[in-house]
């Protein structure tokens, strides 16, 4: 499933934010990837400018949207693409779910953004300490099946991923039970 992504950019983030009083404007001629990189740099340096986060932007975007990137991200509350990339309303088309899984619905959302919103950049944003991945790796005896709820669907889908299976085997050989 993950091989069907059109473009993948993996960026390293740090977490922690402080609003800066004197912010510099976003350069006009940056490519989409440069916008994300410079926004993340502002975030890391605690110089976020929080662009496009006002009523004027809401009103401007009420009839149409023009995001410059799709970001597939974990739904973990500590990983907010708009904050980490210092972007605002209408800048990113964000798809979030536990474990960064790409279901048919998520793939349809990505296709929609590319075909109908003319988005040229797709980012799969990973992070450390992912609870969904941890649940899959640590569930050596398939105990998740006892829950009989939708969390099982997440863990079962992770279990079907070939790259997750390969990583699990590698970790078990090395006696490692924690994976990003």
């Amino acid at each position: 499933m993950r091989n069907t992504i059109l473009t993948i950019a993996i960026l390293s983030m740090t977490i922690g934010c402080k609003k800066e009083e004197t912010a510099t404007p976003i350069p006009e001629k940056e490519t989409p990837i440069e916008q994300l990189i410079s926004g993340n740099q502002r975030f890391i340096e605690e110089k976020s400018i929080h662009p496009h986060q006002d009523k004027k932007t809401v009103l401007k975007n009420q009839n149409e949207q023009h995001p410059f990137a799709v970001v597939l991200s974990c739904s973990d509350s500590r990983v907010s693409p708009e904050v980490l990339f210092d972007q605002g309303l209408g800048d990113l088309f964000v798809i979030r779910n536990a474990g960064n899984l790409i279901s048919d619905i998520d793939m349809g959302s990505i296709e929609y953004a590319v075909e109908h919103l003319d988005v040229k950049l797709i980012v799969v944003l990973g992070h450390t300490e992912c609870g969904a991945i941890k649940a899959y790796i640590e569930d050596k005896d398939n105990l998740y099946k006892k829950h009989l709820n939708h969390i099982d669907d997440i863990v079962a889908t992770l279990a079907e991923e070939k790259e997750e299976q390969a990583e699990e085997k590698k970790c078990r050989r090395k006696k490692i039970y924690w994976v990003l």
Side-chain angles (χ1 to χ4, degrees):
M1 272 194 280
R2 292 184 180 151
N3 293 337
T4 59
I5 296 298
L6 303 173
T7 305
I8 297 178
I10 300 173
L11 302 172
S12 177
M13 308 302 141
T14 56
I15 296 181
C17 185
K18 183 172 114 180
K19 191 169 183 175
E20 184 67 28
E21 297 295 324
T22 56
T24 55
I26 299 172
E28 294 283 326
K29 305 281 184 194
E30 287 186 321
T31 65
I33 192 72
E34 289 169 339
Q35 285 180 268
L36 294 180
I37 291 169
S38 65
N40 183 242
Q41 191 63 41
R42 289 191 303 272
F43 173 78
I44 290 168
E45 295 172 357
E46 297 185 350
K47 295 180 180 177
S48 295
I49 60 175
H50 311 287
H52 315 130
Q53 296 181 16
D54 55 15
K55 183 178 177 182
K56 179 180 169 185
T57 301
V58 171
L59 295 173
K60 178 182 172 193
N61 290 322
Q62 68 185 353
N63 294 323
E64 59 184 23
Q65 58 178 317
H66 301 284
F68 67 84
V70 170
V71 180
L72 175 68
S73 175
C74 185
S75 55
D76 189 302
S77 63
R78 300 165 294 178
V79 184
S80 175
E82 292 87 352
V83 173
L84 296 174
F85 292 121
D86 193 28
Q87 300 301 314
L89 299 168
D91 294 334
L92 304 176
F93 192 87
V94 179
I95 302 162
R96 297 179 71 170
N97 61 61
N100 278 25
L101 296 169
I102 301 177
S103 68
D104 290 341
I105 299 293
D106 298 316
M107 185 54 78
S109 297
I110 293 169
E111 289 172 358
Y112 170 79
V114 170
E115 292 177 19
H116 296 278
L117 302 177
D118 201 32
V119 173
K120 304 289 188 220
L121 176 65
I122 300 168
V123 175
V124 177
L125 178 63
H127 71 100
T128 58
E129 305 297 325
C130 181
I133 302 297
K134 182 180 178 184
Y136 165 69
I137 295 295
E138 291 182 351
D139 186 33
K140 297 173 232 33
D141 300 319
N142 294 324
L143 295 176
Y144 72 88
K145 292 181 180 177
K146 292 184 352 186
H147 302 298
L148 300 176
N149 59 38
H150 296 292
I151 295 172
D152 300 346
D153 294 339
I154 296 169
V155 177
T157 302
L158 283 167
E160 293 170 10
E161 292 288 323
K162 287 184 172 92
E163 62 187 19
E164 298 299 338
Q165 292 170 359
E167 191 66 28
E168 177 186 20
K169 286 177 186 172
K170 184 171 74 175
C171 289
R172 287 192 179 180
R173 277 194 302 271
K174 294 180 179 181
K175 305 283 189 222
I176 299 171
Y177 296 100
W178 184 258
V179 177
L180 303 179

